[in-house]
Amino acid sequence: MMATGLLALLDDVAALAKVAAAGVDDAVAQAGRAGVKALGIVVDDAAVTPRYVVGLSPARELPIIGKITLGSLRNKLLILLPIALVLSAFAPWAIMPLLMAGSLYLCFEGAEKVWEAVGGGHGHHDDGPAAAETAAELEARVVGGAIRTDFILSAEIMAMSLAVVAAETDSFWSQAVVLAIVGIGITLLVYGVVAIIVKADDVGLHLTTRGGAAATVGRLLVTGMPKLLKLLSVVGTAAMLWVGGGILIHGLASFGLAGIEHVIHDASVGAGAAVGGGTPGAIVAWAVGAAGAGVLGLAVGALVIPLVGIGGKLFRKG
């Protein structure tokens, strides 16, 4: 009897373990889908963050990135995650409007970077020269500015993730787990990549002193990292416009204004069919759809830029 009861208990434990494992797998899968939606912000964050340690002591680069990482985790887990869960529980209708409002920020950021690239001036990220300050004060200012910028990007990441998760499950705890996985995973990914980028030139310089193949790799790192940062910046800008425009298109459709979505969808399907379908057709269809969303994002961002400038002037006068 005791042996039979023990076996039954072990069977129950095994069954519970399988359910728990399946739940973890589902949470990870949902987190992956939610993280993909935030691709544009992630790439842009990885491209922008290294500039915060430019001109600072190399010995302080990793500690500064560590402080920014902790600040980003606080932003996501202690502030934004609870807000997202409250919205999901009590005001789910507000998720899409907030997501669309965040997409305006993405479109603005992307359009502003395009404007800077074509010689239109400097963006709002460019701070004026600071007053004389100690190294500790400079570091505190740099970290504080980075964490404030991260808060805006993190808010959009969490809002996009919540929109994906809320469509798949209404379980409070499932949403909490998935959003936590997204927040932690994306933060570690972004700032891990940033740390590698920031220290790659130091590693390269060290390798150049070793001679042989190591020196060749070192020279490639030293000369290649600036180019990589420029590439990341371009990809991040394009992705922000694509994601921001795509959110606006989907949001308008959810409110009954599906005209733009239909036009872009028909154009992408037609382009894919024109190359014969299959994998090449799917790639072309995706590219046309992404380009359409990106063009809309650029147009909307271009309209937002002067509004932000006017608002900033009024705020300073006030």
Side-chain angles (χ1 to χ4, degrees):
M1 291 286 292
M2 184 178 296
T4 302
L6 180 58
L7 290 174
L9 177 60
L10 291 175
D11 285 342
D12 290 342
V13 171
L16 288 173
K18 290 180 180 178
V19 171
V24 171
D25 287 343
D26 289 343
V28 173
Q30 291 175 1
R33 289 190 290 272
V36 168
K37 293 292 185 180
L39 173 65
I41 312 169
V42 171
V43 176
D44 182 71
D45 209 1
V48 169
T49 305
R51 74 180 177 83
Y52 287 108
V53 297
V54 173
L56 299 177
S57 168
R60 296 301 303 162
E61 289 175 344
L62 292 182
I64 288 173
I65 293 172
K67 290 181 180 180
I68 297 172
T69 302
L70 290 176
S72 179
L73 288 172
R74 286 195 297 269
N75 286 340
K76 292 182 179 73
L77 300 182
L78 301 183
I79 301 174
L80 296 170
L81 176 58
I83 292 174
L85 293 175
V86 168
L87 283 175
S88 180
F90 299 104
W93 53 267
I95 295 175
M96 181 54 72
L98 287 174
L99 196 56
M100 294 178 71
S103 72
L104 291 177
Y105 171 78
L106 292 180
C107 294
F108 161 70
E109 280 278 322
E112 187 182 49
K113 289 182 179 181
V114 172
W115 179 244
E116 293 171 29
V118 298
H122 299 292
H124 67 280
H125 289 302
D126 294 302
D127 301 322
E133 53 190 349
T134 65
E137 291 171 340
L138 173 60
E139 182 171 319
R141 180 171 63 84
V142 166
V143 171
I147 292 174
R148 285 191 296 272
T149 299
D150 174 271
F151 184 86
I152 298 173
L153 298 176
S154 294
E156 187 65 6
I157 288 171
M158 298 300 276
M160 294 174 70
S161 302
L162 177 62
V164 174
V165 175
E168 297 188 8
T169 178
D170 58 0
S171 168
F172 176 88
W173 292 112
S174 293
Q175 292 180 1
V177 169
V178 171
L179 291 177
I181 292 174
V182 170
I184 295 172
I186 284 182
T187 300
L188 296 181
L189 172 64
V190 168
Y191 291 106
V193 170
V194 168
I196 292 172
I197 291 173
V198 166
K199 301 307 293 184
D201 55 349
D202 291 341
V203 174
L205 286 173
H206 175 70
L207 290 177
T208 56
T209 64
R210 304 282 300 267
T216 302
V217 172
R219 286 190 292 271
L220 288 174
L221 285 174
V222 172
T223 59
M225 293 315 297
K227 297 176 182 178
L228 175 62
L229 284 175
K230 288 182 180 179
L231 177 62
L232 277 177
S233 180
V234 172
V235 172
T237 299
M240 291 179 80
L241 292 171
W242 157 51
V243 172
I247 294 172
L248 287 176
I249 292 169
H250 180 67
L252 290 173
S254 70
F255 289 113
L257 303 174
I260 298 176
E261 185 176 57
H262 289 323
V263 169
I264 294 178
H265 176 265
D266 292 343
S268 63
V269 170
V275 298
T279 300
I283 294 173
V284 170
W286 175 87
V288 171
V295 169
L296 176 69
L298 180 61
V300 171
L303 294 175
V304 173
I305 288 176
L307 296 178
V308 171
I310 294 172
K313 291 179 180 179
L314 292 176
F315 178 78
R316 286 192 291 270
K317 287 181 179 179

